[in-house]
Amino acid sequence: MARCLAALRVALGGSWKAKPRLFSCSRGARAATAACAEVSNAGQQKYWSTRPLSLSSPGASLICHFYSTHAETAEEPLHNIISDTENVQGSFSKHEFQAETKKLLDIVARSLYSEKEVFIRELISNGSDALEKLRHKLITKGGESAPMEIHLQTDAAKGTLTIQDTGIGMNEEELAANLGTIARSGSKAFLDALQSQVEASSSIIGQFGVGFYSVFMVADKVDVYSQSAESNVPGYKWSSDGSGSFEIATASGVRQGTKVVLYLKEECKEFSSEDRVKEVVTKYSNFVSFPIYLNGRRLNTLQALWMMKPKEISDWEHEEFYRYVAQAYDKPRYVLHYHADAPINIRSIFYVPETKPSMFDVSREMGSSVALYSRKVLIQTKATDILPKWLRFLRGVVDSEDIPLNLSRELLQESALIRKLRDVLQQRVIRFLLGQSNKESEKYARFFEDYGLFVREGIVTTAEQDVKEDIAKLLLFESSTLPAGQQTTLMDYTSRMKAGTRNIYYLCAPNRHLAEHSPYFEAMKQKDMEVLFCYEQFDELTLLHLREFDKKKLISVETDIVVDHYKEEQFPDSKPESERLTEQQAEDLMTWMRNCLCQKVANIKVTPRLDTHPAMITVLEMGAARHFLRTQQLARSVEERAQILQPTLEINTTHDLIKKLHVLKDSSPALAQLLLEQIYDNAMITAGLNDDPRPMISRLNDLLVKALEKH
């Protein structure tokens, strides 16, 4: 290994420190690897290439391959086809824009687009269309052509930006028709002519004829030079200042394709800067199929992975692409590569980050982190309409030819197609995560621990019950019938249900210990039913919104106890009569308790379902009551809360505290009063209906003093 490193230092010389590389070396049967990581700035171009280097020494040979994440632009020769070779022949012929007014041109050029920078995207898309048309012509009719490329050149001194392609070009009639009529689209006409040829039509980016006119947002004057690919057709120059007319003249020295020269407005001279143009190109057109050069340097070296077949992409390529689209430095824990042609055309890649989401990520204000493309051209960096809000933790790309865009190709038009796209993607993500839970349960459990809040949000915010239940398949809970730490799904729960059972029971508690020692779980033991334990704060709200799953009702055990009372179901006493108060003693005690508690309770009754607990509070729809009290955040008195909740205090007459209370109410009324209020507060806290136990501290101190009076 040391000899390999030494040889590399000699071979690379001074560039060793200047340009870190990932490299691998092999020598004989032994291999050694070393890596040097280089962190790139956000949005910086990532590029991978290999370059073999052979070194030899007596008795040994060494072959090294270098892998670089950065294009070695300094070592590559500049490649620029843009030059001032065009000359006008004869005079210009003046034309008025057909079927359009100056006012309409003003709307297109100055009001249609939200960002001026998108004119570069529109011109590159037009160039890509021209190249695609030429490629189709060569395939069908044969012929030779120069390399298919798009070139940009900035000139800060002159305040100009030039964009040139080597595509199919235009003759005089096509210039007048395509550039002289707003809403006339050469790409649209080309697609219409190729309706039966899906492959060719799917590569055409342009959908509207207004894209070219975005140049007048930034330019005082625009010159277009075009040479048709047809034989024996001269070149032409088209020129306009966007005021309602244009001029066309024959020109010599025009290269095949189209060249657009923009004379930028004073306030838009930023687009004559190489760095600014590079920023825009890499943002919108980084995945265009044809090479794009800026001032002789190649820009778009990234591959559109979402257009490739999943089997053609390695894990390493996914990691690099994830870091690019997510602007992150971790790895994806899950990768979903999804292609579909029906019912809607979709090419997509979704990533679930390895890093646990922060509080900022959880915030609903964060929005989508999935980029929307149409034929590999960026439409939105954060597309909010193609995925439901709860899936905002996903990173990735969605590309669809079928999406309905508005005239500026910046915004989605809400339609049945968009809703269909959203539904298809949501169902595919759910199905993928469900498959992962079955395939690698431990890995999925870690995912749910980190991202479970988003899943719960999906259930709460979704209106359709069938979609709620689909999302609910992703939920995980511990169960009373399974060991601690082992989780189960609602589907697994229903598969274990006894014949004739129509309810799914759950209990909300901070942890398993409190759940298993809850008076409500104790009361359920006599029914011998499996109970799901919900530890998260939002589990209860989630299940309240879910309501049912697989035609089975979701019922909390607290609610089930109240329902059993209404049904007048009878449960046998677990202890003999000698160990509990008589009916008369119990009735006397409950009368005294009602007088002491007054408006704090709506009713007091005896329950045979408790064993180790002295009492419990029951409220119809306990979960909804808890949620109401949490969300209201009002400083209500105990009596006001009781009036809202209408709680029932159920007592266990076999418990020592209750039996002792019956004695103390006559022998020591003051102590009995303190004890009763503490039993009531304990039951309210256990029910989760008392979030602030501080007021009972003084009472506890009094109880301790009285308990120690005889010591």
Side-chain angles (χ1 to χ4, degrees):
M1 183 64 180
R3 293 177 63 186
C4 177
L5 290 174
L8 286 172
R9 291 190 181 96
V10 172
L12 294 176
S15 65
W16 175 267
K17 296 182 180 179
K19 294 185 178 180
R21 294 286 181 267
L22 298 179
F23 61 91
S24 64
C25 306
S26 61
R27 179 186 168 201
R30 300 181 59 188
T33 61
C36 179
E38 185 174 55
V39 178
S40 62
N41 294 327
Q44 186 175 5
Q45 186 81 4
K46 292 185 175 64
Y47 173 89
W48 287 83
S49 63
T50 62
R51 180 165 57 94
L53 173 67
S54 296
L55 303 175
S56 60
S57 61
S61 64
L62 178 66
I63 300 176
C64 301
H65 291 271
F66 297 84
Y67 302 88
S68 170
T69 57
H70 298 271
E72 300 184 31
T73 53
E75 299 178 6
E76 295 179 359
L78 297 180
H79 175 51
N80 193 349
I81 66 172
I82 298 176
S83 60
D84 296 328
T85 59
E86 301 87 1
N87 293 298
V88 174
Q89 304 292 319
S91 60
F92 283 95
S93 59
K94 191 170 183 179
H95 305 262
E96 296 294 325
F97 285 110
Q98 300 174 7
E100 292 85 22
T101 64
K102 183 176 183 298
K103 181 178 179 180
L104 181 57
L105 185 58
D106 288 339
I107 292 174
V108 172
R110 296 168 176 82
S111 305
L112 186 62
Y113 296 91
S114 60
E115 298 289 343
K116 291 182 178 181
E117 64 184 22
V118 299
F119 81 91
I120 298 177
R121 178 195 70 185
E122 296 297 320
L123 293 180
I124 290 177
S125 297
N126 289 344
S128 177
D129 288 349
L131 290 165
E132 192 60 47
K133 293 173 189 177
L134 177 60
R135 180 159 62 183
H136 178 264
K137 177 178 179 293
L138 295 175
I139 292 173
T140 56
K141 298 181 180 180
E144 297 181 359
S145 173
M148 296 186 179
E149 302 167 345
I150 298 173
H151 288 257
L152 295 90
Q153 181 172 282
T154 58
D155 190 329
K158 295 180 180 179
T160 62
L161 172 63
T162 303
I163 300 179
Q164 183 169 354
D165 65 70
T166 59
I168 198 165
M170 292 176 280
N171 56 32
E172 183 177 10
E173 291 75 17
E174 290 169 334
L175 275 171
N178 293 337
L179 303 187
T181 305
I182 296 180
R184 160 85 184 208
S185 174
S187 296
K188 183 65 168 63
F190 181 68
L191 285 177
D192 292 341
L194 292 173
Q195 288 181 350
S196 61
Q197 301 184 34
V198 178
E199 182 178 353
S201 63
S202 66
S203 300
I204 300 300
I205 298 171
Q207 298 183 45
F208 305 100
V210 299
F212 170 77
Y213 291 92
S214 61
V215 297
F216 292 110
M217 292 188 298
V218 298
D220 288 320
K221 179 185 176 183
V222 178
D223 290 339
V224 178
Y225 299 93
S226 192
Q227 172 66 59
S228 175
E230 299 176 6
S231 58
N232 302 320
V233 175
Y236 292 92
K237 177 181 179 181
W238 181 101
S239 183
S240 176
D241 59 3
S243 62
S245 64
F246 60 92
E247 297 176 326
I248 297 180
T250 305
S252 61
V254 182
R255 187 185 182 114
Q256 180 184 310
T258 301
K259 174 181 176 181
V260 182
V261 182
L262 286 73
Y263 298 89
L264 299 169
K265 297 177 181 179
E266 190 63 36
E267 65 272 18
C268 299
K269 291 292 180 66
E270 62 180 290
F271 296 109
S272 64
S273 165
E274 179 176 352
D275 290 340
R276 182 71 174 98
V277 173
K278 180 180 179 181
E279 174 190 347
V280 177
V281 174
T282 54
K283 177 180 179 181
Y284 291 102
S285 306
N286 221 6
F287 300 100
V288 169
S289 300
F290 301 100
I292 300 175
Y293 293 88
L294 173 60
N295 295 338
R297 295 181 176 85
R298 175 77 181 268
L299 291 185
N300 60 330
T301 56
L302 285 178
Q303 284 187 296
L305 294 193
W306 65 88
M307 304 298 287
M308 299 168 60
K309 295 179 180 179
K311 293 182 179 179
E312 297 175 351
I313 308 172
S314 66
D315 292 341
W316 172 81
E317 287 175 309
H318 272 303
E319 290 177 12
E320 285 297 302
F321 187 69
Y322 161 74
R323 294 187 181 110
Y324 172 80
V325 298
Q327 298 295 298
Y329 298 102
D330 60 335
K331 296 181 180 180
R333 71 171 76 194
Y334 286 132
V335 176
L336 169 57
H337 193 168
Y338 176 51
H339 284 191
D341 295 310
I344 186 172
N345 175 273
I346 299 172
R347 299 292 184 268
S348 62
I349 291 182
F350 296 115
Y351 299 105
V352 177
E354 182 67 37
T355 304
K356 183 176 181 179
S358 65
M359 290 304 297
F360 176 77
D361 296 326
V362 173
S363 170
R364 282 182 58 81
E365 300 302 320
M366 177 186 168
S368 170
S369 294
V370 173
L372 174 64
Y373 285 74
S374 180
R375 301 177 178 92
K376 298 190 284 189
V377 174
L378 179 67
I379 304 300
Q380 292 178 336
T381 55
K382 296 182 180 295
T384 58
D385 297 321
I386 59 174
L387 284 175
K389 194 85 170 178
W390 71 275
L391 288 175
R392 62 187 177 277
F393 62 87
L394 292 175
R395 308 291 188 266
V397 169
V398 173
D399 193 318
S400 177
E401 304 165 11
D402 299 331
I403 52 176
L405 303 174
N406 72 347
L407 204 58
S408 65
R409 291 198 285 185
E410 292 179 294
L411 303 172
L412 297 179
Q413 296 176 357
E414 181 61 31
S415 67
L417 197 62
I418 290 298
R419 290 190 292 273
K420 184 65 176 178
L421 174 64
R422 188 162 52 236
D423 293 342
V424 169
L425 291 176
Q426 177 177 236
Q427 288 298 323
R428 186 62 186 90
V429 172
I430 293 173
R431 193 163 69 249
F432 169 78
L433 292 174
L434 193 59
Q436 294 300 313
S437 68
N438 295 327
K439 184 179 178 181
E440 297 180 272
S441 57
E442 292 184 4
K443 181 179 179 180
Y444 178 80
R446 293 192 296 271
F447 158 79
F448 187 76
E449 182 181 357
D450 293 342
Y451 291 91
L453 186 60
F454 294 97
V455 177
R456 299 180 184 96
E457 180 190 319
I459 297 173
V460 173
T461 57
T462 299
E464 300 82 3
Q465 180 62 27
D466 58 334
V467 180
K468 285 178 182 282
E469 293 191 26
D470 285 338
I471 302 173
K473 295 175 183 177
L474 304 176
L475 295 173
L476 291 178
F477 305 96
E478 286 196 16
S479 168
S480 60
T481 62
L482 298 177
Q486 184 176 338
Q487 294 180 306
T488 187
T489 65
L490 289 174
M491 292 183 294
D492 292 337
Y493 180 102
T494 56
S495 68
R496 295 191 294 266
M497 290 176 64
K498 299 177 181 178
T501 306
R502 304 302 304 167
N503 296 331
I504 298 174
Y505 297 101
Y506 65 90
L507 174 62
C508 296
N511 53 58
R512 189 180 184 97
H513 177 79
L514 291 179
E516 290 180 332
H517 293 82
S518 164
Y520 305 102
F521 181 64
E522 183 176 278
M524 280 292 294
K525 286 182 178 178
Q526 295 190 30
K527 297 186 74 169
D528 191 27
M529 292 291 181
E530 180 179 0
V531 178
L532 296 175
F533 294 149
C534 306
Y535 305 140
E536 296 297 327
Q537 182 180 0
F538 297 103
D539 278 339
E540 188 165 54
L541 178 63
T542 301
L543 297 179
L544 285 172
H545 278 80
L546 183 57
R547 298 189 303 277
E548 63 178 43
F549 181 84
D550 192 23
K551 298 181 180 180
K552 298 172 179 61
K553 291 185 178 181
L554 287 152
I555 298 181
S556 70
V557 295
E558 301 107 324
T559 300
D560 185 68
I561 292 170
V562 179
V563 171
D564 286 345
H565 286 320
Y566 282 118
K567 293 179 180 178
E568 297 184 351
E569 289 197 20
Q570 300 297 321
F571 294 91
D573 291 317
S574 58
K575 293 184 179 181
E577 292 186 7
S578 59
E579 296 185 16
R580 61 176 183 268
L581 297 177
T582 64
E583 289 187 10
Q584 184 59 47
Q585 289 174 328
E587 189 60 41
D588 291 344
L589 177 61
M590 287 189 292
T591 301
W592 174 80
M593 294 171 71
R594 291 189 190 98
N595 293 331
C596 292
L597 294 175
C598 299
Q599 298 180 355
K600 290 184 178 181
V601 293
N603 193 16
I604 300 176
K605 61 174 64 174
V606 174
T607 178
R609 299 178 67 171
L610 292 180
D611 184 21
T612 62
H613 294 270
M616 67 179 176
I617 289 287
T618 55
V619 174
L620 186 62
E621 296 296 341
M622 181 84 82
R626 277 193 291 262
H627 180 65
F628 174 79
L629 292 177
R630 276 197 298 263
T631 55
Q632 291 302 305
Q633 296 181 345
L634 299 177
R636 299 181 183 272
S637 65
V638 176
E639 290 74 15
E640 288 176 325
R641 293 165 73 97
Q643 190 174 2
I644 296 172
L645 298 173
Q646 294 292 301
T648 294
L649 180 63
E650 302 192 19
I651 60 173
N652 174 15
T653 57
T654 66
H655 198 278
D656 291 340
L657 271 181
I658 299 300
K659 291 189 287 186
K660 191 66 175 179
L661 181 63
H662 175 261
V663 175
L664 289 174
K665 72 180 178 61
D666 297 321
S667 62
S668 181
L671 179 58
Q673 177 73 30
L674 291 174
L675 182 59
L676 173 60
E677 291 180 356
Q678 191 59 49
I679 291 173
Y680 171 81
D681 278 349
N682 289 349
M684 290 290 286
I685 292 172
T686 303
L689 299 174
N690 186 347
D691 294 331
D692 187 7
R694 288 175 296 181
M696 68 181 187
I697 297 299
S698 60
R699 183 198 314 127
L700 281 172
N701 290 334
D702 292 340
L703 278 171
L704 291 173
V705 169
K706 291 184 177 296
L708 296 173
E709 282 181 350
K710 297 181 180 180
H711 296 277

